[in-house]
Amino acid sequence: MSRQREDFREILRLVRPGSRVLDVGCGEGALLDLLASEKQVDGRGLEISPEGVAACLARGLAVVQGDADRDLADFPTRGFDYAILSQTLQTVREPRTVLTALLRIAERAVVSVPNFGHWRVRLALLTSGRMPMTGSLPEPWWSTPNIHLCTLRDFTLLCDELGVRIEAASALADGRPARPIDPARPVENWRAEQALFLLSRPGSAPAATLSPPAKTSQDLFG
Amino acid sequence: MGRGGPTKVMSRDLGALQTGADGVGLMRFGPDQPLRLESGARLDGLEIAYRTFGELNATRSNAVLICHALTGDQHVAGEHPRTGKPGWWTQVVGPGRPLDPAKHFIICSNVVGGCSGSTGPSSINPATGKAYGLTFPVITIPDMVRAQAMLVEALGVETLFAVVGGSMGGMQVLQWAADYPERLFSAICIAAAPRHSAQNIAFHEVGRQAIMADPDWRGGDYAAQGVRPEKGLAVARMAAHITYLSEAALQRKFGRELQRDGLSWGFDADFQVESYLRHQGSAFVDRFDANSYLYITRALDYFDLAHSHGGVLAGAFAKARQVRFCALSFTSDWLYPTIESRSIVRALNAAGCRASFVEIETDKGHDAFFLDEPVLRTALTGFLQSGAQARGLT
């Protein structure tokens, strides 16, 4: 890979060597390849496009064609240590169901989403009165695959509601190294362009955390 | 192999293929090696007709077994020795193809119960000196696979780099994974199902009834009486052939086009689709035996891989965790639709196997696996090449 994606680097950091990983929406398998070569993970993928799956096969990866909304049900309970959903949750029809499914399949989920609460998004909407288009959200409203956008605060509230524990979170921005954050801090909801979460179900043994565990979100001007 | 072990009774190089040696063979198993059938019966003096392409490498690690479909045979590539026509899977097997005789030792054998040289209902029963006919025991997919395993072993192959098949061949692939997982490195199952559905059985029953309703079938004893139930077999093929195509493909190919100007106001083949089906039927009877058709469709109908594993399909794959699986299906296949392949993949995942799955977008129906589908070829090539790397073949 010529230029490693920043979220990939962060995921590599979070994933335990030798673990079993399911990459949901694995594309052509770049992340799985990286995880296999650098972390010796036993990786599997789920990918919607037949061309993507074919490319993964050529890399020697085990990938199933399917989509997150429909086909996660086919994966056995606790078959994996990690389920990864990178920049995809906002594109699925049922984000709550998908999130729940990820934590049924795996002990931990690594989920990254664009933050619709980022200051640039807010400013764009405020000043232009139009749907924001930014680096993380490059498409116009009529062609964007992002049908369920959320803010950092929306996401943490959903985790609270689903009883999902946020073990670690970091802010991602294009071209800059990941920054560990406390996602409950309102300022992060302004600052983080994208956020990446390490999630677990209550009752799972805690993993080595990279930032302090999230407290219950406070209701400020977040 | 000791006294009475398998013997090659015929083996010759055709030299017809550009690369590698091409062998046509017949393996005969001695009295010490009967084929013990699932029904409890046994077949003595089993003969398996096969064909090979390429050569087994020094480490014996490059062997690939191809399993053919219901009416297929061992002539997967090269030239058919009798008809002179090209093999049935030249899109996949041949120089520069995903299965290449320059790299792989490719084996394809006629299934037991077939009519292309392997022991089947038209073979002579050594006990009576007459054709078996309906005295031939009912065979199953596991029986076919057991016979293949005997052949593969007799050819000096301990583990297969890959076992590959579409349709009924795909079911054999699944059976291989269930029965001989330790002899497999990888498995490719195309357009198949883990069991025959009610609709699958129903179509087969139509075909069998057509054959048995032909007065020339003579209770299956037609060979001895010097006749052939050609009409019945042709109708069986016509009905089955519709299930191999999609509605869209039929419509595109024929629509309501007529054979001649105007209607005949009778029952000639007015429509091109009628003429096409009649041709399919009559061409088929030239190359296939009616009793074999009964037996092999029965084997398919009896196929239910989960049933023999406590009703849990994943149980069939419990010992196949080290096997690399690839399942493929076609969007317009309504004979063994995608949902069937998905149930296979779900079971493989549940068993903790290494499973990949591709659904190929095509409107050509079940028979798409014979045709040149670019994604099929890319997927097969990618899967086999990465497998070859992992096995140290390249």
Side-chain angles (χ1 to χ4, degrees):
Chain A
M1 270 181 66
S2 53
R3 188 175 145 273
Q4 196 175 314
R5 276 169 50 176
E6 204 51 58
D7 54 336
F8 284 9
R9 202 168 300 166
E10 188 62 4
I11 292 165
L12 273 177
R13 224 157 60 84
L14 290 172
V15 168
R16 230 177 20 249
S19 54
R20 294 162 302 165
V21 175
L22 175 68
D23 186 3
V24 179
C26 64
E28 300 194 341
L31 176 61
L32 281 173
D33 229 10
L34 214 55
L35 284 166
S37 62
E38 296 197 13
K39 291 287 182 122
Q40 295 75 50
V41 306
D42 181 11
R44 303 282 192 276
L46 181 71
E47 166 59 26
I48 200 161
S49 84
E51 291 77 14
V53 180
C56 289
L57 291 185
R59 287 178 128 138
L61 300 168
V63 172
V64 168
Q65 191 181 335
D67 84 65
D69 271 309
R70 198 187 53 196
D71 300 311
L72 284 177
D74 285 353
F75 288 89
T77 298
R78 304 210 179 193
F80 294 91
D81 298 307
Y82 299 90
I84 297 172
L85 188 69
S86 178
Q87 299 292 323
T88 305
L89 191 70
Q90 75 281 2
T91 69
V92 304
R93 278 194 300 277
E94 299 281 353
R96 289 163 53 110
T97 314
V98 167
L99 208 52
T100 309
L102 293 179
L103 286 170
R104 173 186 66 79
I105 293 166
E107 286 292 321
R108 297 201 159 65
V110 178
V111 175
S112 67
V113 286
N115 173 22
F116 209 73
H118 185 245
W119 66 267
R120 210 176 276 129
V121 175
R122 300 191 197 201
L123 188 66
L125 183 60
L126 186 70
T127 55
S128 73
R130 299 190 60 190
M131 281 302 283
M133 284 167 64
T134 65
S136 303
L137 303 165
E139 299 254 7
W141 68 272
W142 41 265
S143 67
T144 179
N146 303 325
I147 55 173
H148 285 121
L149 286 162
C150 66
T151 67
L152 188 60
R153 181 154 165 69
D154 286 326
F155 187 83
T156 56
L157 284 172
L158 178 63
C159 290
D160 287 349
E161 193 189 318
L162 295 176
V164 167
R165 192 166 66 198
I166 299 176
E167 292 193 0
S170 41
L172 295 166
D174 206 26
R176 266 169 292 158
R179 180 173 58 85
I181 57 167
D182 173 357
R185 287 184 63 206
V187 65
E188 303 296 358
N189 196 19
W190 287 89
R191 291 207 307 190
E193 196 170 332
Q194 296 167 41
L196 186 140
F197 302 89
L198 178 63
L199 308 171
S200 68
R201 279 167 312 212
S204 317
T209 49
L210 296 162
S211 66
K215 292 184 281 291
T216 316
S217 336
Q218 302 131 22
D219 199 23
L220 287 171
F221 296 101
Chain B
M1 270 136 220
R3 196 174 53 87
T7 39
K8 276 186 200 175
V9 292
M10 179 187 74
S11 184
R12 66 189 166 91
D13 287 348
L14 279 187
L17 218 69
Q18 288 162 325
T19 328
D22 176 9
V24 172
L26 184 69
M27 191 70 74
R28 180 178 293 156
F29 295 90
D32 60 327
Q33 282 185 294
L35 180 63
R36 295 185 188 283
L37 303 171
E38 206 184 344
S39 66
R42 54 178 243 192
L43 270 179
D44 290 312
L46 174 71
E47 291 184 346
I48 293 295
Y50 66 96
R51 194 144 169 190
T52 65
F53 305 89
E55 283 177 60
L56 192 59
N57 62 8
T59 53
R60 300 175 175 238
S61 57
N62 68 335
V64 174
L65 177 73
I66 297 174
C67 304
H68 69 71
L70 167 56
T71 67
D73 55 29
Q74 66 273 37
H75 305 293
V76 62
E79 223 175 51
H80 193 292
R82 204 172 61 237
T83 64
K85 285 186 180 162
W88 54 266
W89 217 15
T90 51
Q91 303 295 347
V92 170
V93 183
R97 304 292 189 192
L99 290 171
D100 188 336
K103 299 181 201 161
H104 306 113
F105 176 56
I106 300 158
I107 308 163
C108 185
S109 66
N110 185 215
V111 295
V112 62
C115 51
S116 185
S118 291
T119 303
S122 56
S123 304
I124 301 299
N125 179 352
T128 63
K130 289 195 292 192
Y132 281 103
L134 285 204
T135 67
F136 193 74
V138 166
I139 42 104
T140 62
I141 302 288
D143 295 334
M144 294 175 183
V145 165
R146 201 168 305 117
Q148 287 164 352
M150 288 164 69
L151 170 71
V152 164
E153 198 180 336
L155 291 173
V157 174
E158 277 152 27
T159 62
L160 290 163
F161 166 55
V163 57
V164 188
S167 197
M168 183 179 88
M171 297 177 192
Q172 294 164 56
V173 169
L174 300 178
Q175 194 69 51
W176 264 93
D179 292 352
Y180 303 99
E182 71 288 349
R183 299 199 205 175
L184 297 184
F185 177 80
S186 64
I188 300 176
C189 171
I190 306 169
R195 52 153 185 57
H196 242 213
S197 69
Q199 192 188 46
N200 294 149
I201 297 168
F203 271 107
H204 275 175
E205 177 59 1
V206 170
R208 285 190 294 264
Q209 287 300 329
I211 290 168
M212 294 190 285
D214 188 323
D216 285 343
W217 180 60
R218 310 275 170 99
D221 196 34
Y222 51 87
Q225 302 185 28
V227 287
R228 297 185 78 213
E230 292 186 349
K231 290 204 170 72
L233 183 59
V235 172
R237 176 63 171 181
M238 288 165 77
H241 196 80
I242 301 168
T243 69
Y244 305 151
L245 305 172
S246 69
E247 199 218 349
L250 268 186
Q251 189 63 29
R252 187 184 58 234
K253 212 165 173 178
F254 306 108
R256 293 185 51 83
E257 293 301 308
L258 298 174
Q259 277 295 95
R260 287 170 293 274
D261 290 340
L263 303 174
S264 70
W265 303 104
F267 298 99
D268 284 347
D270 280 354
F271 295 98
Q272 284 184 7
V273 66
E274 293 174 301
S275 160
Y276 169 77
L277 277 183
R278 289 182 188 193
H279 170 75
Q280 289 296 330
S282 65
F284 183 62
V285 302
D286 291 340
R287 68 176 180 90
F288 215 83
D289 173 61
N291 283 339
S292 269
Y293 196 84
L294 298 181
Y295 277 90
I296 299 176
T297 56
R298 207 67 184 136
L300 278 161
D301 293 347
Y302 279 5
F303 185 62
D304 181 355
L305 191 54
H307 183 76
S308 45
H309 294 85
V312 182
L313 187 56
F317 305 124
K319 290 179 183 150
R321 288 204 186 95
Q322 85 295 348
V323 181
R324 295 166 164 246
F325 283 94
C326 183
L328 299 111
S329 73
F330 301 102
T331 50
S332 55
D333 182 351
W334 57 279
L335 185 66
Y336 302 130
T338 290
I339 190 170
E340 301 286 359
S341 288
R342 282 205 182 278
S343 71
I344 294 166
V345 173
R346 189 187 316 124
L348 288 168
N349 277 324
C353 296
R354 240 189 100 86
S356 291
F357 168 64
V358 192
E359 182 185 27
I360 292 156
E361 180 85 42
T362 172
D363 73 350
K364 298 194 182 92
H366 181 65
D367 268 359
F369 91 87
F370 292 118
L371 308 171
D372 192 19
E373 289 290 342
V375 179
L376 173 65
R377 212 197 280 190
T378 335
L380 288 178
T381 305
F383 180 77
L384 288 163
Q385 278 182 357
S386 62
Q389 244 167 29
R391 195 166 161 87
L393 291 186
T394 49

